[in-house]
Amino acid sequence: STLSSSSAASDVYKRQVRFLSRTGDICLMNNLLMIHAQMIPDNRNQGFVDLLVGQVRHDPGALDKYLGDVPFAATTQLTRADCSLVPALWMCSGSLPMLGADSPLTGLDRLIFYRERIAESENAACIIEEIDRGLKARMDGTGRRTSEEGLTEAEVQQTENN
C-alpha cells in the first residue's frame, strides 16, 4: 500500500508539472507572442489585441490556484513547469502594460509569491536575461538582421562546399 500511495503521489506530481507547464506555454506564451506582433501601432488590430489581452488576463488566475508554498512551481526543485512559467509571467508583466492594459498578475497572491521566490533563482535570471536580449533584438530590428546575416553566411558556406 505504501508503494501504491507513492506511485499515486508521483502521478499527481507529474500531472501538476504538466498542467503548469502547458498553461505557461499554451495559454500564456502563445497569446503573448501573438500580442507582440501587435506592438507596432501602425499594424495593430485593436479587436485582436482586446481578445488576446482578455485571454492572457484570465489564465494567471488558474495558475494562482495550483501554486503552493514550495520554492518552485511544483516542488522544491526546478522543473519544466518553471521553465515555461518564468518567461510567460515575465512577458505578462511587461507586455500588457505596453498596450495600455494592467498587468494580469495583480491581486494573485500565490503567483506574486512564486515570482518573488523564483526571482532568487540563478536559472530564472538566465532565462529572463535571454528573453530580454531576444525581445530587444526583435523590437529594434537587430534580431531580423542577425537572422538574415546568418542565413546569408550559411548560403555562402553551402555554395563553397558544393
Side-chain angles (χ1 to χ4, degrees):
S1 77
T2 305
L3 182 59
S4 64
S5 66
S6 174
S7 177
S10 177
D11 288 344
V12 169
Y13 163 74
K14 288 176 187 175
R15 283 194 300 272
Q16 183 178 11
V17 168
R18 205 169 26 250
F19 168 78
L20 292 168
S21 179
R22 287 182 178 167
T23 301
D25 286 338
I26 297 168
C27 299
L28 292 173
M29 285 302 284
N30 282 347
N31 290 324
L32 289 163
L33 291 172
M34 287 190 280
I35 284 174
H36 270 273
Q38 299 292 316
M39 288 293 180
I40 302 168
D42 295 343
N43 300 335
R44 188 173 298 156
N45 176 329
Q46 194 59 47
F48 188 56
V49 169
D50 293 343
L51 172 71
L52 293 172
V53 167
Q55 290 174 335
V56 169
R57 291 190 62 70
H58 174 267
D59 296 326
L63 284 173
D64 193 60
K65 294 175 185 173
Y66 282 91
L67 293 171
D69 296 331
V70 292
F72 295 100
T75 183
T76 57
Q77 298 176 359
L78 190 72
T79 65
R80 78 177 191 183
D82 298 292
C83 294
S84 298
L85 291 177
V86 167
L89 296 175
W90 179 87
M91 286 181 70
C92 275
S93 62
S95 300
L96 270 55
M98 292 172 72
L99 293 166
D102 293 333
S103 169
L105 307 181
T106 54
L108 300 173
D109 294 339
R110 287 183 181 183
L111 206 47
I112 291 167
F113 185 58
Y114 167 73
R115 287 192 68 213
E116 289 170 357
R117 288 188 319 260
I118 198 74
E120 297 170 5
S121 166
E122 226 178 275
N123 296 315
C126 290
I127 293 168
I128 292 169
E129 183 181 323
E130 181 61 29
I131 292 171
D132 278 337
R133 250 193 325 268
L135 286 177
K136 180 184 179 301
R138 184 174 183 169
M139 297 305 283
D140 69 11
T142 58
R144 183 180 184 109
R145 285 192 303 273
T146 302
S147 295
E148 289 169 353
E149 290 167 3
L151 287 173
T152 302
E153 186 176 316
E155 290 167 352
V156 168
Q157 288 177 354
Q158 185 177 14
T159 304
E160 291 173 354
N161 292 337
N162 289 334

